Amino acid sequence: MIKLRAKAYVGFLATAFATAGFLTAGAGTATAATLQNTLQGTYYGTQWLTPHQQCINEENARNKQTYGSEDGGDNQYFYCALGDRNIAYNLWWRHYV
């Protein structure tokens, strides 16, 4: 739960930076980079796993595969949040576009 709260706080801060017009330098020109949340899946659980456990397992696997760490990297990461009528968990991807 602490990990989820920390990621939500980081997501909030990232949104603030994106809203403020965060710029990155590229090939001599400034290019606007925006953080975006993209829905990756919804988990309702299995006979052996709760929806939260199922989502967290997928979150950790995707962060490790994509960023080399279960925590993600450089303000980009996969995270879980309550979804459908608070009975499911959604997996979201926070990334630059």
Side-chain angles (χ1 to χ4, degrees):
M1 186 57 99
I2 291 172
K3 184 177 175 183
L4 180 62
R5 287 184 184 159
K7 286 186 177 184
Y9 180 71
V10 170
F12 172 77
L13 291 177
T15 302
F17 281 113
T19 304
F22 180 76
L23 298 177
T24 59
T29 62
T31 307
T34 305
L35 280 169
Q36 175 178 312
N37 292 319
T38 305
L39 181 63
Q40 297 293 298
T42 300
Y43 300 90
Y44 290 91
T46 67
Q47 182 178 355
W48 302 277
L49 296 171
T50 66
H52 183 252
Q53 290 168 325
Q54 188 181 20
C55 188
I56 291 295
N57 288 348
E58 187 65 20
E59 169 193 324
N60 291 337
R62 292 212 191 174
N63 276 327
K64 192 164 186 172
Q65 178 183 10
T66 305
Y67 302 108
S69 166
E70 288 184 352
D71 295 324
D74 197 26
N75 293 327
Q76 299 182 88
Y77 49 84
F78 292 88
Y79 68 96
C80 293
L82 273 174
D84 184 25
R85 296 167 288 160
N86 293 333
I87 61 171
Y89 272 83
N90 292 330
L91 179 66
W92 293 90
W93 181 27
R94 184 77 169 155
H95 59 105
Y96 286 110
V97 290

